[in-house]
Amino acid sequence: MKNLLGGKGANLAEMCHLGMPVPPGFTITTEVCTAFYQSGKKFPKGLKDEVDKALARVEKIMGSKFGSTDNPLLVSCRSGARISMPGMMDTVLNIGLNDETLKALIAKTNNPRFAYDSYRRFVAMYGDVVMGVKEHILDKVTGEVDKNADPFGHAIDKLKADKGYKNDTELTADDLKGLVVTFKKIIKDVLNQPFPEDPREQLWGAIGAVFDSWMITRAKSYRKLHGIPEDWGTAVNVQAMVFGNMNDNSGTGVCFSRDPSTGENYFFGEYLINAQGEDVVAGIRTPKPINRQKPLPKGVNSTLIDDMPKIYKTLESFKEKLENHYRDMQDIEFTIEDGRLFMLQCRSGKRTGHAALKIATDLVNEKLITKQTAIARFDPNHMTQVLLPTFDTKSEAYINRQVLTGGLPASPGAAVGQAYFSAKAAEDEAAKGKKVILVRLETSPEDIKGMHASQGILTARGGMTSHAAVVARGMGRTCVAGAPITVDYGKNLFTIGDEVIKAGDWVSLDGTKGEVIKGQLPTKEVGLSDEFHTFMKWVEAEKVMKVRTNADTPNDSRVARSYGAEGIGLCRTEHMFFEADRIDHVRAMILANTQPEREEALSRILPMQREDFFEIFKAMDGFPVTIRTLDPPLHEFLPHSDHEIKQLAEKFSLPLQAVKDRIDFLHEQNPMLGLRGCRLGILYPEITSMQARAIFEAAVKATKEGIKVFPEIMIPLIGNEKEFAAQKALVDQVAKDVLGKSNVKLNYLVGTMIELPRAALVADKVVEAGAEFFSFGTNDLTQTTFGLSRDDSGIFLPRYLEQNIWETDPFVTIDFEGLGQLMEIGVQKGRSADKKLKIGICGEHGGDPPSVMFCYDLGFDYVSCSPFRVPLARLASAQASLKASPKDLKKKAEKEANPAKKPLSKQAEYKKKLAKKLAETIAPLANQALKSLKPMAKKVLPKTPAKKKPANDKVVKVTPKNNKGKPTKKG
Amino acid sequence: MKNLLGGKGANLAEMCHLGMPVPPGFTITTEVCTAFYQSGKKFPKGLKDEVDKALARVEKIMGSKFGSTDNPLLVSCRSGARISMPGMMDTVLNIGLNDETLKALIAKTNNPRFAYDSYRRFVAMYGDVVMGVKEHILDKVTGEVDKNADPFGHAIDKLKADKGYKNDTELTADDLKGLVVTFKKIIKDVLNQPFPEDPREQLWGAIGAVFDSWMITRAKSYRKLHGIPEDWGTAVNVQAMVFGNMNDNSGTGVCFSRDPSTGENYFFGEYLINAQGEDVVAGIRTPKPINRQKPLPKGVNSTLIDDMPKIYKTLESFKEKLENHYRDMQDIEFTIEDGRLFMLQCRSGKRTGHAALKIATDLVNEKLITKQTAIARFDPNHMTQVLLPTFDTKSEAYINRQVLTGGLPASPGAAVGQAYFSAKAAEDEAAKGKKVILVRLETSPEDIKGMHASQGILTARGGMTSHAAVVARGMGRTCVAGAPITVDYGKNLFTIGDEVIKAGDWVSLDGTKGEVIKGQLPTKEVGLSDEFHTFMKWVEAEKVMKVRTNADTPNDSRVARSYGAEGIGLCRTEHMFFEADRIDHVRAMILANTQPEREEALSRILPMQREDFFEIFKAMDGFPVTIRTLDPPLHEFLPHSDHEIKQLAEKFSLPLQAVKDRIDFLHEQNPMLGLRGCRLGILYPEITSMQARAIFEAAVKATKEGIKVFPEIMIPLIGNEKEFAAQKALVDQVAKDVLGKSNVKLNYLVGTMIELPRAALVADKVVEAGAEFFSFGTNDLTQTTFGLSRDDSGIFLPRYLEQNIWETDPFVTIDFEGLGQLMEIGVQKGRSADKKLKIGICGEHGGDPPSVMFCYDLGFDYVSCSPFRVPLARLASAQASLKASPKDLKKKAEKEANPAKKPLSKQAEYKKKLAKKLAETIAPLANQALKSLKPMAKKVLPKTPAKKKPANDKVVKVTPKNNKGKPTKKG
């Protein structure tokens, strides 16, 4: 029921089933939220009635009445999305308090301080969350909303200062009473409207606020980051309040069934006596641990096990039961009200990557879950985490770090080094043994060696898939891209605000968060744990679709192989062209005026390329190696600055003008759509022939040395079967020649990238022309399908994501809806011509888990990704195999693109349609949700014998009935 | 039978059927040619036998024997493609002559001069055509093939000089005999192999040479130009020789049933006495007219009607019969052998555009054809011709013109003016009343006004769809693009070889041929004839799919309307932004840092845009006007040179660095794929709003003045329904506002361009999001589908066309196979969401006849093209309506992409397969062809009573049996 009730609501219901004490309440379903937005933020008809009925049931159970001045019921109102979004959305506690019900609460609890404390909390929370006081306070200087405004906190601080208090606990009942008055005045002053005293108005305000909070910026950002669809909506959980702040026999806490940082299997948690949940989150007081499994923090002398041993025991038994029930590490919130334990929430606990591995392998070893389950539920992001060095987040230096600015978290990890501003400087300084951060406006293929020599790369321009980002991810270098810094190459420095970072100054980059940090932070080196190897062995056993790597060097090949890569899916030969010992020959080739001149220059590159390929074959002994023939436009190999051009002319003894003319001639308006890929090989067949020769000669040499070689030659940017046929003919000719002379037998394939829409549309023809494999180049295919240069999308991409025009960056996750169609056409047509056609992907998407699964759904034979993403892709491949219905993801994408779920901006159009539809469907839906909550209210509570039942205490107390038994199935 | 027999073969057979005297012979079918190439230039098995059999039949009819030293049969060997390719392929005459058969020929004709003349012609022709002597003569300086080599001609010239002759007719039999010896020696010297004396070897050499000539450069170019597929192949017609050079009672000529230049209905033709066909073509002697319909040329005193009145009468009756039979103007070749008329060829005659109109309307008026037939067979190129000024090709200046160089015929017409090298100079000089040719390396949107002010545009870079080409065609300006000239902006001149053209020098451009001509040629202004108007009325009656125009100015709108445009399909608003009075406001908008600043600048552009739109609505009163919101990247509006940037900074009182920074910020790697189209409107909604306001305010104003306005607002570069929804919401909001205030009722539509692959793939979603029409932007759709920048394709496009990778330039004619699929998906998905969705095209293809027909097949409502292409598009639209099966074109494209017809470069692969296949199928095919030729040899000749039959004359003479009757059906 998670989709309808949200995670929190479903888990509350489940805890009821398991016989645990849960405050009675009900859930308003996520579909109501969706309807709320679709109808222009109006509550669907019929909802009020349903809520009234549900509330009446809660009142009945609790024996109190919402808004009663005699025995008032207070409720909380909490959000609950399908997937937990901790801390992202709003919560309102203590709803139902006003000057009148307050009196009854005092009378009922005989605890005026508690009552006023609850009241002032409620007024402040309501003022902030529901009425939006903060958003109405303007900065006196700028006239814009003052983001630092906190009038209620300010009032408390002032009072404490006036009274000389240090802690909130020192506030007396009278102080708190005064604060209520102050707070109400603030609300009136700021908003020119009073704090609502009517409890029902309060409740509906709170419900609306929870719905509203689905659309606040931080919630949207969180969803964007975690790929949660906008139209899922949140549920609202309305529950009777229980009070951890009633007295010192009360408290509230959070615990985990295992340590979420390390994964160690012990009961971990902390709690605060006499507090409400928000105090734990706010971190005003130091919480106590629940037990003595780890050394106590300074100044803490007791734990829950000491303070309330029975409660602890009960809580521990609940923990056991929940972990056994959910078969995962649980994150549990609880409140103790006057010595009685209430379970407020449980959910699968967030954890670090290392903890995730430890927990997963432990759970399997404990036979709680199968290996398959461990794999299926493993969060791919955890896999990334464990492979990367991180900052030592517990170090003082880290805690006090000075974040200069934030950029895009383009390539994860932690990098520390001295800033340098050119690839050459980076290389030179690194050669001296320095750790270097390369800082550029943007990077280009010429910077490759400098990037390689650096610990991390920081750029001022470009998005998640800019050159810097893509190359850095490929190399496993940390990268923060598109940071709002001003780079001055002339002065060798960059500035951000008043801060100036000069060449040689230390900078730290957090590629996972996108932080640019001043100075030198300590890092932790992370070795691969035993758990990693165990887990990956299981992954390997489930995986069907193979995982290769994109690697251009023997070293990358070896790294990838150590991560489990089963061959190379993309070896870009052009990176080899930039090596210092050959760039001159490459340039000579480009500047040549005739084919013989070009062939002469190429003949000098041949032995070097042959050696490259030999080393790569060696590193990939036994696995296929896909080598792409030259792809980038030739001008990328030529210098740009006048000075360099002059140098080049001198070196080649050419007239300066001739060199300039050639550069002008090769200049392109849109290099992405110009003379590149197989077009180079069509225009200059001698380039393809040279590369083929280098490949086959290297393969022959390797074979003679006993290395098993499976070269797969890949022709890029095919749009037409004739292009392919022409290039394949060249390759086959060279193969015949080289292999014939050597007497070596070699199995090789010639295939093509599918990276243009037209290639997908005529894929059958390309196979009929002899293509023996396809590799989807989804980077370029995305660029052409969207008409979108990834280098130039930076300006509007944020707006597109913000406005929800794109749910995700199409360069990160395959656009299933559009690109997916073309890929499907390509696969279907390709396989229609050759049933067994080998199909893979070598775009950046090959390392993105949802994209990997999509490829599996389409029947791919392999995915290929950068070395550091190989374990992640292997995991995703195994998860894809384990999925019951591998078409799920696509269906999901289709469903989300369904016109019934239009962008919210089209509210007006939908109002009309919905008016009718709502009347028919929303009320029953709300009803259904209520029915599903009945157990939570009905079943558990009646069965719970009251510990003590004073006549004036109408709040129903609950204790678990059946701690170790199976969850009750009835109801 | 045209496809199998070729045009010539089929028409020969037809003339036999009509009872006309045709020299007996047979045809080797086009499929043999295809097989010849597929098997690596080998004759299919079985062909020799079939040819022998057919030859035996001819021998029987002629009563002579091929190779006989007693009574030798001589034959000709002529090419014949499905579609006539005049002068493109090779012909060999007089086959069968050698030193022995010659003697017999002398004996038989008693005319040694004739015999030696035939012999020397044969040796030279065979040496050139079959043996390729010329291609083996190297230039002594360069070592490359000497393209000017003409050893046989040189030998004749030398002999004539030695003897003091002026004309070839002065050559005596002995002279000619000597030439035969000389020629044979040349062959032996150059090729180191003798001239083949064996007649059968001669025949097979000639057949092979005709097949070979299918692939020579000029034939390939011709096909490319006329869109004739490579794999159609040519047939070979082998016929008994008849001799126009036998004596003065012989002759040869060419005639047309109507005047091919003017279309006038009189019998037009010329002939030469005592000559073979090649003499007429070579133009060595001045031919005589066949009659006195027009004044005789100087030095000519008699005509065929005078010289051989009976022959003339017969010929005239044949002409009548053929025109009545084919119901079109006929081009007829004939030979008179010793007083007997032979028909060598007939075909539909080539004609000028004006003649085409005249003939078409005349034939309809004469009731020979219906209006529908006139339309269906009208060549669209003729329509282009009649709209454009041309050079006065009869003027001395034209005949002696100095062609500086050739470029791409980018926009047809004849332009004469003084060269200037910047848009500004062009504008300034034109303002002084000068005629200007704008010469640029390439043009950019900033040059628009300069281009408009010019007569023609000459560029050194770019292809048929470069900016210059597209804009020039749109404006109706002549353009030669990509000419190999060197432009020096600094010195204000361009050079080609040693020629230097400075600013102010006169240049003439032939945009139809692509010639760049030195100096000032006289042109002819062409008014639209009555025939044009009559014809277009008929076209209009047949046309179903509408034709709109792409027009950005009131003037263009008026021109287009005068050509019959039914509205505007694309009005590009950005061109208006470049006007001198507004570019500053546009730049202010771009340089603005905040939305209010931007809005302020936009508010100054608003009234100007409003006025533009008002004038356009006025010009298009009663017709829909599709206005596209701003499309190009903003940097196109900013200056590039340091000087201009400095000026701009000063004008706006901005720091130079700030302007530079903004320009840097807006700089894009691939502007085509960057911040443009609706992305601009998403990022800066105020631009869309301003444009919508200008449109609706103009519409209101026009409506109030009684003008009927139907605005269609078109959002460019949509890739996603949410983009569209967001932009439509803005437009609708402004409409509501403006219309609400004015109380004017207005029907308007908001639609989108489909110009990205993704848009086609999600077209249903876009319609569901509210799109009310689609306009296919096939320029950009081609760019993205092919991953091909039209500005950058110039370097490799020629190679692609040459290697047949593309049959046609995809920017000229829609790529039916690839792009066509996407268009079909777009149409199908769009109409699935809205059955009546209005669909059009506004890419350049909208004026290309095959593309127009393709759009018709897909069910488009309209095409839109530049004003000067409107009549052409109307014709194509009518032709599409008239086509029996409108899917023909697509089927053809599919068939041509069929793997059974692979590129010839893949010969090797096919050899194996063919070896088997040929044995089974080719021989029967040859057989079938022979059967179909039997009538030509058998049926006509036996029925033809010989006029006189001397015993030693074994050549069968023929006269028509039944001039006026139906063609005989038997045999």
Side-chain angles (χ1 to χ4, degrees), chain B residues 644-713:
Chain B
E644 288 170 304
I645 293 169
K646 214 179 141 198
Q647 273 190 330
L648 183 64
E650 280 164 11
K651 193 181 254 175
F652 285 82
S653 307
L654 284 170
L656 180 60
Q657 196 54 48
V659 176
K660 279 190 177 168
D661 284 351
R662 179 58 56 102
I663 291 174
D664 276 355
F665 175 75
L666 290 173
H667 172 78
E668 294 181 308
Q669 298 290 322
N670 296 285
M672 185 56 59
L673 309 176
L675 176 58
R676 50 173 290 241
C678 69
R679 294 161 193 171
L680 284 168
I682 298 281
L683 202 58
Y684 306 119
E686 52 276 14
I687 297 179
T688 306
S689 293
M690 180 284 281
Q691 293 199 296
R693 182 165 297 275
I695 292 166
F696 289 115
E697 288 180 356
V700 164
K701 185 180 167 194
T703 306
K704 284 184 176 166
E705 293 189 16
I707 296 164
K708 280 189 187 142
V709 190
F710 306 100
E712 301 184 344
I713 292 145

Side-chain angles (χ1 to χ4, degrees), chain A residues 851-914:
Chain A
S851 306
V852 170
M853 295 194 185
F854 186 73
C855 292
Y856 177 88
D857 289 354
L858 288 182
F860 277 42
D861 296 294
Y862 69 87
V863 298
S864 186
C865 58
S866 53
F868 287 88
R869 296 203 146 218
V870 166
L872 183 61
R874 288 169 67 201
L875 171 66
S877 174
Q879 288 180 333
S881 305
L882 288 170
K883 277 181 69 124
S885 158
K887 291 266 172 190
D888 281 0
L889 257 172
K890 230 200 113 196
K891 275 192 202 139
K892 199 187 102 187
E894 272 167 14
K895 203 179 143 200
E896 278 158 31
N898 191 296
K901 297 185 181 176
K902 282 280 170 60
L904 298 173
S905 62
K906 301 199 68 228
Q907 294 163 358
E909 203 181 320
Y910 273 84
K911 269 190 198 169
K912 237 189 286 176
K913 285 192 199 168
L914 273 175

